[in-house]
Amino acid sequence: MVGIYDLVIVGGGPAGLTSGLYASRGGLKALLLERMGTGGQAAMTHLIENYPGFPKGIGGAELADLMTEQAKKFGLELEYAEVTGIDKTVDYFLVKTAGNAAYPAKAVIIAAGARPKKLGVPGEDKLAGAGVSYCATCDGAFFKDRDVVVVGGGNTALEDALYLTRFAGRVTVVHRRDSLRAAKILQERAFQNPRIEFEWDSVVRRITGERLVEGVVLSNVKTGEEKTIPASGVFVAVGHLPNSDFVRGLAALDEGGYVLVNQRMETNCPGVFAAGDICQKGFRQVITAAADGAAAAHFAQEWLTLRQQK
Ligand code: NDP
């Protein structure tokens, strides 16, 4: 078939870009499909301090640009399109996009990542973009001298809280337990920062405000007591959900929707590999996503070579 790709990679975060780098450098005709901008969630991170090679840290967007440039240098094709489904034919896969295009590929790597989870409380959807945000790096600067709330107790929540102290007046972290899941180094920084306060054992019941956020109503999970905190911004950082809807029916997912892979990054569908945050895994970092991406491209290339020899 004319124009068939050896490999189509779905998703342009660190996993997809690294797959693209390894595949194109390895001589494969490879296409990466990304729905928005490359870099994925890493691109929305203000400063990445734990990616080796950058002792001073590197901005997420800058790292994404460098990864993109490096992959394209070896011939990776990049197109902006949202993948809606993947059909399996006898000889190849057909990767379909929202724009009604279909890209034939001998093998596929799914690296579509994850998206922020919502709180699911009244006011959240109505005030999204009007004070409710899922990206502190993107929206933090709008809250100069304003009080804001960050919901969550993981690495994202504390990184967001620390970042927001650059702009905001007071930053209140609302966490549903009395201890944090975040890395110790972030906890120490947050505890030492006089602009950050904590509301422990608390969940958000609703977000108040008509046109703009005015505050949050909290409920203490131990005492049932309710309390209102006035705030102009609510940054939700309560984890992620995999972007795997289009994978359903093609490859096996776990109950949370994460793609199941073996150590060769193979799904249960021969020729379909997965990498990065979309996979069921224990540790989600830029470096583990990049490592997955390298392995997926390597084993996809091996699979293609074996298939050719048959
Ligand atoms: P996590 O899943 O690690 O943390 C989510 C937090 O939100 C937890 O504290 C959880 O509480 C809380 N939570 C979950 N659901 C709700 C809810 N409905 N209401 C209230 N609170 C809720 O997600 P993150 O986004 O923080 O991190 C995702 C991954 O990315 C992790 O693997 C993390 O290590 C990684 N990461 C790494 C960074 C780094 O190394 N610098 C930076 C950012 C992310 P509980 O603790 O009680 O479960």
Side-chain angles (χ1 to χ4, degrees):
M1 183 170 187
V2 180
I4 190 165
Y5 287 96
D6 293 319
L7 184 66
V8 168
I9 300 158
V10 183
L17 289 172
T18 310
S19 290
L21 165 65
Y22 274 72
S24 51
R25 188 168 179 272
L28 295 184
K29 180 175 165 57
L31 168 71
L32 188 150
L33 296 170
E34 161 58 44
R35 76 175 155 181
M36 290 197 299
T38 56
Q41 296 188 95
M44 291 191 242
T45 306
H46 165 66
L47 186 70
I48 296 172
E49 287 186 313
N50 51 6
Y51 195 81
F54 300 95
K56 292 181 182 145
I58 180 164
E62 192 187 348
L63 182 61
D65 286 348
L66 290 171
M67 284 183 173
T68 308
E69 183 189 331
Q70 195 173 0
K72 282 170 79 175
K73 180 179 136 185
F74 292 104
L76 177 70
E77 292 178 39
L78 171 62
E79 284 197 32
Y80 291 96
E82 180 167 4
V83 172
T84 51
I86 300 174
D87 289 346
K88 190 175 178 325
T89 72
V90 179
D91 296 320
Y92 55 88
F93 298 95
L94 212 47
V95 183
K96 297 180 297 184
T97 67
N100 282 332
Y103 299 89
K106 295 176 192 163
V108 176
I109 294 176
I110 296 164
R115 62 185 182 280
K117 217 165 81 178
K118 289 185 174 184
L119 284 173
V121 298
E124 183 179 19
D125 284 344
K126 185 176 88 173
L127 295 165
V132 175
S133 170
Y134 303 85
C135 177
T137 310
C138 317
D139 300 327
F142 295 123
F143 295 88
K144 191 149 177 17
D145 300 326
R146 304 290 180 88
D147 292 346
V148 299
V149 163
V150 175
V151 191
N155 283 331
T156 304
L158 287 206
E159 284 199 348
D160 285 359
L162 287 159
Y163 178 69
L164 287 164
T165 58
R166 293 162 174 246
F167 315 100
R170 188 182 58 219
V171 179
T172 305
V173 177
V174 175
H175 183 39
R176 63 183 177 185
R177 294 188 291 125
D178 61 4
S179 62
L180 298 164
R181 179 184 292 271
K184 272 271 164 312
I185 186 170
L186 294 174
Q187 294 196 28
E188 282 163 14
R189 285 182 196 166
F191 293 147
Q192 278 164 18
N193 193 311
R195 310 266 290 279
I196 299 179
E197 292 174 12
F198 286 86
E199 288 287 345
W200 301 106
D201 298 314
S202 297
V203 292
V204 174
R205 283 280 171 244
R206 58 183 185 279
I207 300 169
T208 60
E210 269 313 307
R211 286 192 314 108
L212 294 172
V213 166
E214 288 170 10
V216 290
V217 177
L218 304 184
S219 172
N220 186 296
V221 293
K222 289 187 174 154
T223 63
E225 201 180 309
E226 284 207 347
K227 127 184 212 186
T228 300
I229 300 194
S232 305
V234 180
F235 289 84
V236 180
V238 295
H240 294 86
L241 292 171
N243 295 320
S244 60
D245 287 353
F246 70 92
V247 188
R248 259 172 228 289
L250 177 75
L253 309 178
D254 72 7
E255 62 282 1
Y258 289 95
V259 182
L260 296 169
V261 286
N262 62 18
Q263 286 189 349
R264 299 165 64 86
M265 311 317 290
E266 292 169 314
T267 69
N268 67 336
C269 177
V272 178
F273 300 75
D277 283 8
I278 200 168
C279 297
Q280 186 192 61
K281 63 195 288 195
F283 194 40
R284 293 192 172 84
Q285 299 277 294
V286 179
I287 190 161
T288 59
D292 282 0
H298 172 79
F299 291 118
Q301 184 153 29
E302 205 172 87
W303 184 84
L304 285 164
T305 307
L306 286 173
R307 196 179 90 142
Q308 211 174 18
Q309 287 166 358
K310 276 186 191 164

